[in-house]
């Protein structure tokens, strides 16, 4: 290799090295910005609630004023935090399981079968994707009221069990499944349900993992819809319960900040449990179709 060619190779390597360093710096800055609010909240959980009311959230670490009193209050105090926490756990588990099962059935139907009105029905799914919740909130509220489901977990879960984005994702994930696989199952004597549960479900593990995380986050952080349909404080999810602690006249900020720290834990556990398949599922669902 001549001198000019060697210089070009060296220059190319230098550019790649600089680009890699720049990406590392960029991702480090983004990671810092994302984790900074969590760190601020964690630090505040060791401070008296009055400090939060007086100084707000900040990065000031004053060891002399930091203690474990907030955590003692969380585990031993007289409050409804753990009832709200358990309500959110129940709502999230029920919502995720029902959404995944029903959406998987619908997405598989769109991907594997040909039937009259299929394109029109799938177009409706795409249209629903473009409609925000705030637009349909009033009709949903009137429907739940007419069905006498107000102030119940059913009213929180039922409107979202057939989630349009989840149906679309599953359809995109399954659309490239060869029909020969389904025919082989039928030749072996499997029923249509047997084909779905024995052949299709094992192939959908990455898709289920990705959608479990996304739907779990949505269900856990859901605030506006439960605010409309839940009336009894003992049925509040954690988002509503913590909101009731925000007032300038009580000493509830101690419970609020430490409770907010613990509210992050279930989502973190959910992501760790399914992160093995998360990226695989998201990429597969994005490129198939």
């Amino acid at each position: 290799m001549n001198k000019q060619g060697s210089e070009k190779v060296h220059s190319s390597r230098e550019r790649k090295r600089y680009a890699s360093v720049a990406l590392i710096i960029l991702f480090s800055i983004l990671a810092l910005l994302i984790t900074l609010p969590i760190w601020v909240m964690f630090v505040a959980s060791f401070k008296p609630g009055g400090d939060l009311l007086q100084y707000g959230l900040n990065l000031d670490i004053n060891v002399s004023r930091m203690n474990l009193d907030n955590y003692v209050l969380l585990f031993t105090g007289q409050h409804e935090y753990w009832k709200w926490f358990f309500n959110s756990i129940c709502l999230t588990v029920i919502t995720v399981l029902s959404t995944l099962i029903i959406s998987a059935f619908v997405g598989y139907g769109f991907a594997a079968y040909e039937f009259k009105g299929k394109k029109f029905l799938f177009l409706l799914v795409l249209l629903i994707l473009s409609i925000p919740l705030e637009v349909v909130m009033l009709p949903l509220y009137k429907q739940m009221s007419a069905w006498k489901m107000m102030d119940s977990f059913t009213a929180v879960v039922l409107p979202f069990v057939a989630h349009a984005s989840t149906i679309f994702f599953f359809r995109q994930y399954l659309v490239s499944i060869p029909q020969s696989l389904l025919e082989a199952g039928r030749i072996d004597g499997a029923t249509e349900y047997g084909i779905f549960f024995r052949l299709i479900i094992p192939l959908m593990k990455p898709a289920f993992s990705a959608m479990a995380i996304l739907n779990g986050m949505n269900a856990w952080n859901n605030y506006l819809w439960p605010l409309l349909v839940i009336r009894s404080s003992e049925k509040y999810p954690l988002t509503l319960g913590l909101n009731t602690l925000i007032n300038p006249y009580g000493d509830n900020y101690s419970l609020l900040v430490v409770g907010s720290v613990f509210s992050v834990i279930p989502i973190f556990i959910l992501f760790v449990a399914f992160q093995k398949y998360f990226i695989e599922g998201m990429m597969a669902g994005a490129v198939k179709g």
Side-chain angles (χ1 to χ4, degrees), residues 3-22:
K3 182 178 180 181
Q4 185 177 2
S6 178
E7 290 178 352
K8 288 183 178 179
V9 171
H10 180 72
S11 176
S12 176
R13 290 177 177 173
E14 285 294 318
R15 286 196 298 269
K16 290 181 179 179
R17 187 165 64 88
Y18 290 144
S20 299
V21 172

Side-chain angles (χ1 to χ4, degrees), residues 119-174:
K119 292 183 178 180
F120 174 73
L121 292 175
F122 189 65
L123 178 62
L124 290 180
V125 173
L126 298 179
L127 289 176
I128 293 173
L129 281 172
S130 64
I131 301 176
L133 174 62
E134 291 75 10
V135 175
V136 297
M137 194 172 292
L138 180 58
L140 283 176
Y141 179 87
K142 294 181 67 175
Q143 189 174 29
M144 293 298 105
S145 179
W147 289 353
K148 302 185 185 303
M149 293 183 178
M150 299 296 291
D151 198 26
S152 68
F153 287 173
T154 304
V156 178
V157 175
L158 186 60
F160 308 103
V161 292
H163 205 277
S165 61
T166 308
I167 292 173
F168 176 76
F169 183 87
F170 282 151
R171 185 264 179 186
Q172 293 299 102
Y173 189 88
L174 294 171

